Amino acid sequence: MNTLLLKKEIRLLLPSFIVAIAIAFSVLLLTDDPNLSVFQALVFVLPIILCPAILLMMALDSFGREISAGTFSNLLSQPISRSRIWWTKTLLLAAAFLLIWMTWWFLFINNKNIVLSPKELREAFISSILIPVVIFSGGLWTVLLLRQVAAAFWFTLLIPAAITLPIVSFAEKFPKLIEPMLVIVFGVYSIAGFIFARWLFLRAQDVQWTGGNIALPEFRRLGKVKTSSRVDSVRRPRAALVFKELQLHQSQFVMAGVLAVFHLAVILARKFIGTFGSAAVEFVYFHFWVLWFVMPLLIGCAAVAEERKLGTLESQLCLPVRRRTQFFMKLFFALLFSVTLSLAMPLLFEGTRILPSIEIKALNDLSNNFPHDPFILGLIKNLRFVGQLLTLLLPLGIVAVTAMISFYASTLSRNTLQSLAPAVLGILVTFMMLVASAEAQRIFPFPLWRGWLIYLIGVPVMTLTLLGLMYWNFKRVLIGWKTWQRNAVVFVASLAFVIGITTAIYHRVWELLAPIEPAHGAARLASPASVKMQSFGNGITIQFPDGTVWSTIFEPSAPTLGTMLSGNWKIKPLFGGGKFLEGTNWASVAVDYSSAIGIQKDGSLWVPEKPRIRPSTATPKLMRLGQDDDWKQVRGHFQWAFLLKQDGSLWRLSTKEWNRKKPWPGIEAFDLQRLGTNDDWAEILQLEWNTVFRKTDGRTWMQGSRSDTNNIKLDEEISLARAERFDGLKSGSSFYIDGRSFQLGVGEDGKLVAAVLGYPLRQKQQIQIGQESNWLALAGSGETAVTLKADGSLWKWNFADDPFTNPNAATAVRLSKHSDWIAIADEFGSVISLAGDGSLWVWQFDSRYFPQLGIPPSLGASRKPQKIGNIFDASRVP
C-alpha cells in the first residue's frame, strides 16, 4: 500500500516537477549586461517569476489535485493512517522542492554572465531559500483550508506580501535589521503554516470549510435582470451565457480586488518608506505589478476546465445556441477579463512606467551625423514609429498569448489545477520558439529565413490552428490521451507547414519558374581589361582607355516600412541616370554624392565649383584648383581625399573644422596639405573600406596605430602601418567576407588569393585560391564574393571552411549565363556589374541592407539582377 501511495504521489507531482526543472535551467540565460534586447529582457521572467510560480503549483498540486478531481474523500477513507499519508505527501513534495532549488542555485552561481558582490550573493541566497519555504507552507495550508485552488493560489502569494509591509515600515530606520527580521518572521510563518496544515489534514472532513465559496455577493437587481421576461427571446440564451461567464470567473474578480488593495498598499509603501534595506525586497516592491500578469493564466485555465469539473459543460452544449457562438463568447470574455485585469489595472496603478522602452540602436547617431539627409531622416522616422508601436503592442501581445495558451490548456483538462502545468509549459515553449525563430541562422547550418517573415506567417497560421483545436476540444465532454495525441499531430503538422512555407517564400522559389536574366544587347565596349570601374562613397566611376569618365551616384528607393520588411529595395542612379564628365583626358577621378575630384592627363587638379547636396540630378561642374601640373592620382570621398604627385609625395585635401550638423561646405573649400616627407609613393589603392598606399618597391601600407615605432607618421592624425597582406593586389579587388578571419584579393598576376585578416598588419600569409590566373576583378556583399574572369564570365564563391586549413574547401559556380561582362564593383551592399552593351546591373546576395540597425528584411535577396540603366543613355557618348 505504501509503494502504491508513493507511486501515485510521484505521478501527481511529475508534470509540474518536469516543467520546474526545465525552467530552472533558464537561469543560464540571465546576464547583467545593461544593453539588452527586448527578448533578452523577457528572459528574466523565466527563472525569476515562472520558476516560483511552478513551485507554487506543485505545492497546490499535493492536495489540490485530490480536491479538484474529487478523490480527496477516497484518500481519507484509505486503510492507512492519515499521519502516514501526510508525511508521504509532504516529504515527497519537500524532496522535489529541494532538487529544484539545488538545480536553480547551482546553475545560478555558475552563470558566468552574472557577477555579484558578496552582499548581493548573500541576499540572492537568502531569497532563494525563503521563497520556496514560504510557498511550500502556504500552498499546503491554504488549499486545505479553502478547498478552492484559485483562492489558495492568491492567498499563498498575498499573505506573505501583507506580512512584509509592516516589517519594512518598522525597519525603515534600521535597514540592517530588515534581513534578519524577514528570515525570522517568514521562518515562523512557514513552520506555523506547516503545523496548521497538518492539523487541518488530520481533522479534515469530506465537506469543505463552512465559510462557503469565495464569490461575489448576489444582487437582487442583477437577478431581476437575468430573469426578466422583457429580454428578447432571441438574445436570452446569449445573455444567459454572459452572466454565466461572469459567475464562472467571479472568484478571480474577488482576488483581483484583494490584489488591487495590496497593490495600493505597496505603492504607498514605496512613497513613504525611504529605504527597504534589502535588494530582494526592493525588487519585489517595485515589480509587484507583475503579479497582475498571472491573471490571464488563471482565467484561461478556468474557462473550460472548471465547467468540466462542475459537470456543466455537457448541459451548456445542449443549450439552444450554436456551439461556435458559445465557444467564441467564452474565449472573448476570457480575453476581455485578462486584458482588463492584467494590463489595464497595472497601467492604472503604475502608469506608463511599466511599459517596455524599445529603442532601435544607432538612430540618434544617424540623426546627428546626417541632419540634412532626407533618406536617413525618413528611415529614422519609420523606425521610431515601429518602436512606439511595439511599446504598446508588446504587453498586449504577452497578455493575449498567455490567455490563449491557458484557454487551450483548459480545453484539454478536467479541472483548473490540471491545466496549470500544461499552460505554463505551453507559455515556456512558445517563448522559446519566438526567440529561436529570430535566431534561426544560429540554429540551422543553412539560413532558412531572416527577419520577421516567420512571425508574419507563423502567428496567423498557429493562431488559427490553436483556435481550431480549442473549438474541437471544447465540444468534447470527455478528454483523454487520444485527444492529446491528435492535438499534438495537428500542432506539429502546422509548425512544419509554417517552417516550409516561410523558407520557400524567403528564398523566393517562384523565381525558379521564370528566366533569371534577360538578354543583353549588342556589345559596344571593348575587352574587360581596358575598362576600370571603381566605387567611391555611394557611387561608381567608369574610366575608358581614351580618358573618358562616366560617373553616377546611387541611392536606395524611399525607405518605407514595406521596403524594410520585404527587402525589395531598389537603387537608382542620380545625375539624371549617370553622366560623362566634361573632357576626354581624365587620368584619375574620385566621385561621391557630395564631391568630385579629378586629375587630367596634363597633371592639373579639378574640383566642383560649388558644393552639392544630394539628391542631385546634374553632374558637377569642375574648376581647376591651383596651378600645379604634376598630380598623378586621387582616391577618397566625402570630407577627405588623398592625392599623389608625380614626384612620389603624398597629399591630403581635407579639413578639421567642419561641423557635421552644419551644411556641407564642399571639398573645394578645403586645404591641400602634404603628408610626411617620403617621396617614394607609387600608387593609392582602394581595397575594401581601406585606403592602401603602395611604395615604389611594391610594399603596401595602411592606417594603423601610432604607438608602433615601425609605422610611418604622416602628420598628427595619420600613421601608416605595414600591411603585407595587401602586397601585389589590384586596386578595388579586395573583399572581407562577413564572419570570416580572412580577406580575398585579386593580384596583379591575375590570381585569387586569401590573406589572414587581423593584426599585426605586416603578417603576409597569402595563399592562392584555385589554379586559375586569369581573374580581373573581385567584388562582394556580406558573405558572398564575386569574381570576373578575362573571358567576361562572373563567378560566385562559397567558402565552406577556412582556406588556410582546408584549401580545397573553396568552390565557385557560374553566376551569370552571359560572358560579356566588362567590370564589377561593390556598392550599397550589392555587386554592380557592367555589361558589354553598357547596361548596369545590381546583384543582391545579402538582404540585410541595414545590419547596423538590426532590421533584416523578411525576404531574401532576389536571384534576378536589377537593371539600373545604361551608360550610353547619358547626355554624351565617348
Side-chain angles (χ1 to χ4, degrees):
M1 182 64 184
N2 292 340
T3 303
L4 294 177
L5 177 62
L6 184 62
K7 289 181 178 180
K8 180 185 75 70
E9 293 303 320
I10 292 176
R11 289 196 301 270
L12 186 146
L13 295 177
L14 189 58
S16 299
F17 177 78
I18 294 175
V19 175
I21 287 291
I23 297 179
F25 276 89
S26 65
V27 75
L28 294 174
L29 302 176
L30 292 179
T31 177
D32 53 9
D33 184 5
N35 300 318
L36 297 177
S37 64
V38 176
F39 283 119
Q40 289 173 325
L42 291 176
V43 168
F44 281 82
V45 175
L46 299 176
I48 305 300
I49 304 299
L50 283 185
C51 200
I54 288 294
L55 291 179
L56 176 55
M57 293 177 191
M58 288 181 61
L60 298 176
D61 277 349
S62 186
F63 289 103
R65 280 183 179 267
E66 305 279 4
I67 295 171
S68 299
T71 60
F72 187 68
S73 299
N74 296 333
L75 179 67
L76 298 179
S77 62
Q78 296 298 317
I80 187 172
S81 67
R82 291 194 182 186
S83 178
R84 179 166 296 181
I85 295 174
W86 167 261
W87 289 115
T88 300
K89 278 181 168 292
T90 54
L91 290 178
L92 185 62
L93 180 63
F97 267 55
L98 181 61
L99 285 175
I100 295 170
W101 177 83
M102 291 175 63
T103 303
W104 192 96
W105 181 251
F106 176 79
L107 296 174
F108 179 79
I109 61 176
N110 287 279
N111 187 351
K112 297 181 180 179
N113 296 323
I114 300 178
V115 179
L116 299 178
S117 64
K119 179 182 177 181
E120 293 172 333
L121 192 63
R122 186 188 72 252
E123 291 182 352
F125 178 76
I126 294 175
S127 302
S128 67
I129 291 180
L130 285 181
I131 291 175
V133 169
V134 170
I135 288 176
F136 178 85
S137 173
L140 291 175
W141 75 262
T142 54
V143 76
L144 287 171
L145 175 66
L146 303 176
R147 304 283 182 93
Q148 293 185 40
V149 177
F153 179 91
W154 285 113
F155 273 94
T156 305
L157 288 178
L158 297 179
I159 289 179
I163 294 174
T164 308
L165 278 173
I167 296 177
V168 173
S169 301
F170 176 78
E172 179 184 0
K173 298 182 179 180
F174 307 97
K176 293 183 179 180
L177 296 178
I178 188 170
E179 191 172 283
M181 289 183 64
L182 287 174
V183 172
I184 294 173
V185 170
F186 282 125
V188 173
Y189 167 80
S190 301
I191 296 173
F194 182 82
I195 296 173
F196 182 52
R198 186 173 185 273
W199 184 86
L200 288 173
F201 178 73
L202 295 179
R203 291 160 177 78
Q205 303 296 325
D206 289 347
V207 295
Q208 59 191 34
W209 75 313
T210 57
N213 290 328
I214 296 179
L216 292 173
E218 185 72 21
F219 294 98
R220 294 182 179 180
R221 293 185 179 180
L222 185 61
K224 291 181 179 180
V225 171
K226 290 190 289 185
T227 59
S228 175
S229 60
R230 290 177 294 177
V231 179
D232 187 83
S233 59
V234 177
R235 297 180 55 189
R236 185 180 301 165
R238 294 177 176 81
L241 290 176
V242 172
F243 288 115
K244 183 182 71 66
E245 292 301 317
L246 291 173
Q247 189 173 12
L248 178 68
H249 296 290
Q250 59 183 337
S251 61
Q252 303 299 332
F253 299 151
V254 173
M255 292 298 104
V258 175
L259 183 61
V261 173
F262 275 97
H263 197 162
L264 183 61
V266 166
I267 293 175
L268 294 176
R270 291 203 312 250
K271 183 177 181 180
F272 294 105
I273 297 178
T275 177
F276 291 91
S278 171
V281 175
E282 185 173 353
F283 177 84
V284 171
Y285 271 66
F286 279 91
H287 295 82
F288 186 85
W289 56 270
V290 176
L291 287 178
W292 289 102
F293 279 80
V294 181
M295 296 300 299
L297 178 68
L298 299 179
I299 292 173
C301 288
V304 179
E306 197 68 15
E307 299 269 14
R308 287 199 180 98
K309 174 192 172 184
L310 298 174
T312 58
L313 182 60
E314 186 174 5
S315 301
Q316 178 179 338
L317 296 177
C318 297
L319 293 176
V321 182
R322 291 181 178 180
R323 292 184 177 181
R324 63 171 176 267
T325 302
Q326 300 180 38
F327 168 76
F328 284 110
M329 185 171 291
K330 182 175 285 291
L331 178 61
F332 169 77
F333 279 102
L335 291 174
L336 178 63
F337 297 155
S338 298
V339 172
T340 302
L341 296 180
S342 62
L343 190 57
M345 292 298 291
L347 285 175
L348 179 64
F349 283 105
E350 301 284 352
T352 57
R353 181 184 70 86
I354 64 174
L355 290 177
S357 178
I358 301 177
E359 293 184 2
I360 301 177
K361 298 178 180 179
L363 292 187
N364 293 332
D365 293 339
L366 282 175
S367 178
N368 294 332
N369 292 336
F370 302 95
H372 305 288
D373 193 318
F375 172 78
I376 297 297
L377 294 179
L379 173 65
I380 292 173
K381 181 179 179 181
N382 282 301
L383 294 181
R384 283 181 173 158
F385 170 75
V386 173
Q388 294 172 355
L389 191 63
L390 290 177
T391 299
L392 297 175
L393 294 182
L394 185 60
L396 181 61
I398 293 174
V399 171
V401 170
T402 303
M404 289 279 289
I405 295 175
S406 303
F407 190 96
Y408 173 66
S410 181
T411 62
L412 287 170
S413 307
R414 298 187 181 96
N415 55 69
T416 301
L417 187 60
Q418 190 183 58
S419 64
L420 286 175
V424 174
L425 181 61
I427 294 170
L428 177 63
V429 170
T430 302
F431 175 80
M432 291 302 179
M433 288 174 59
L434 290 173
V435 176
S437 298
E439 303 292 338
Q441 66 271 18
R442 299 184 180 180
I443 301 174
F444 303 101
F446 177 75
L448 300 182
W449 62 79
R450 284 192 179 113
W452 293 84
L453 183 62
I454 185 66
Y455 303 121
L456 298 177
I457 296 175
V459 171
V461 171
M462 298 309 295
T463 300
L464 292 176
T465 301
L466 204 62
L467 287 173
L469 290 175
M470 286 191 294
Y471 179 60
W472 188 78
N473 299 333
F474 169 75
K475 297 185 296 182
R476 278 151 181 78
V477 178
L478 300 178
I479 293 295
W481 280 110
K482 287 186 177 181
T483 306
W484 281 78
Q485 291 172 0
R486 292 174 182 174
N487 277 256
V489 170
V490 174
F491 180 81
V492 172
S494 300
L495 191 60
F497 171 79
V498 169
I499 293 176
I501 198 68
T502 302
T503 303
I505 293 177
Y506 178 80
H507 291 283
R508 304 173 185 259
V509 294
W510 60 85
E511 292 184 351
L512 301 176
L513 304 177
I516 299 298
E517 292 182 87
H520 291 179
R524 303 177 64 179
L525 295 174
S527 63
S530 61
V531 178
K532 297 180 181 179
M533 182 167 71
Q534 293 196 20
S535 60
F536 290 98
N538 303 348
I540 61 171
T541 58
I542 303 174
Q543 187 168 349
F544 299 93
D546 63 351
T548 303
V549 173
W550 182 91
S551 177
T552 191
I553 307 299
F554 294 114
E555 206 176 46
S557 53
T560 63
L561 185 59
T563 301
M564 289 185 286
L565 291 177
S566 67
N568 290 325
W569 61 274
K570 303 293 182 182
I571 68 172
K572 55 186 181 180
L574 300 181
F575 298 169
K579 298 289 184 180
F580 286 94
L581 298 183
E582 293 183 2
T584 58
N585 58 344
W586 295 104
S588 180
V589 175
V591 179
D592 73 355
Y593 69 80
S594 61
S595 64
I597 308 173
I599 297 176
Q600 294 193 354
K601 292 183 178 179
D602 60 3
S604 57
L605 178 63
W606 296 73
V607 297
E609 290 184 350
K610 57 182 180 179
R612 182 177 69 257
I613 304 299
R614 81 169 183 181
S616 174
T617 58
T619 51
K621 190 173 182 180
L622 303 182
M623 66 177 184
R624 183 165 180 171
L625 181 65
Q627 300 301 318
D628 294 347
D629 55 2
D630 58 345
W631 297 104
K632 179 181 178 181
Q633 190 183 10
V634 60
R635 287 286 184 270
H637 63 88
F638 200 37
Q639 62 174 342
W640 56 263
F642 290 107
L643 300 104
L644 180 65
K645 280 193 172 186
Q646 297 287 349
D647 60 3
S649 60
L650 194 61
W651 295 70
R652 182 175 64 168
L653 183 62
S654 65
T655 183
K656 304 176 183 178
E657 300 177 355
W658 175 55
N659 187 346
R660 286 178 175 267
K661 296 183 179 181
K662 295 182 179 180
W664 170 244
I667 200 168
E668 60 278 3
F670 295 168
D671 299 324
L672 281 167
Q673 306 166 9
R674 177 161 182 177
L675 300 176
T677 59
N678 299 73
D679 55 4
D680 57 348
W681 298 108
E683 187 179 5
I684 307 174
L685 310 175
Q686 193 70 32
L687 295 173
E688 184 78 14
W689 58 83
N690 305 302
T691 301
V692 179
F693 306 89
R694 177 179 291 160
K695 285 194 172 185
T696 53
D697 59 4
R699 295 182 301 166
T700 54
W701 301 73
M702 64 176 292
Q703 293 189 42
S705 173
R706 291 183 57 86
S707 61
D708 195 331
T709 57
N710 295 319
N711 288 0
I712 299 176
K713 298 176 176 57
L714 299 181
D715 65 3
E716 296 179 356
E717 297 180 350
I718 302 177
S719 177
L720 300 184
R722 181 75 171 92
E724 293 186 4
R725 70 171 187 263
F726 293 125
D727 288 354
L729 299 185
K730 291 183 179 181
S731 181
S733 294
S734 179
F735 173 64
Y736 163 63
I737 298 179
D738 284 355
R740 299 303 183 94
S741 59
F742 62 90
Q743 187 164 352
L744 297 177
V746 173
E748 296 287 353
D749 56 2
K751 295 179 181 179
L752 180 65
V753 298
V756 174
L757 184 68
Y759 292 91
L761 298 172
R762 60 180 59 91
Q763 56 188 353
K764 178 84 172 176
Q765 299 188 38
Q766 283 187 358
I767 63 169
Q768 183 176 354
I769 304 295
Q771 302 300 322
E772 295 88 349
S773 59
N774 56 348
W775 302 108
L776 296 180
L778 167 71
S781 169
E783 302 172 358
T784 306
V786 177
T787 52
L788 172 64
K789 261 188 180 181
D791 61 3
S793 59
L794 294 180
W795 295 78
K796 184 174 72 171
W797 288 85
N798 176 50
F799 293 88
D801 200 355
D802 191 330
F804 290 92
T805 58
N806 187 5
N808 298 322
T811 58
V813 296
R814 188 81 176 262
L815 176 63
S816 170
K817 65 180 182 180
H818 299 296
S819 299
D820 61 342
W821 299 106
I822 303 299
I824 59 174
D826 49 68
E827 192 58 76
F828 269 110
S830 305
V831 172
I832 300 175
S833 56
L834 174 65
D837 62 353
S839 56
L840 282 173
W841 301 81
V842 175
W843 303 82
Q844 288 181 262
F845 304 105
D846 190 354
S847 61
R848 295 173 299 173
Y849 183 66
F850 299 107
Q852 69 275 20
L853 300 178
I855 324 170
S858 298
L859 292 181
S862 175
R863 298 176 180 84
K864 296 183 177 182
Q866 173 196 159
K867 185 177 180 180
I868 55 176
N870 192 298
I871 65 173
F872 296 115
D873 295 336
S875 59
R876 192 176 65 80
V877 179

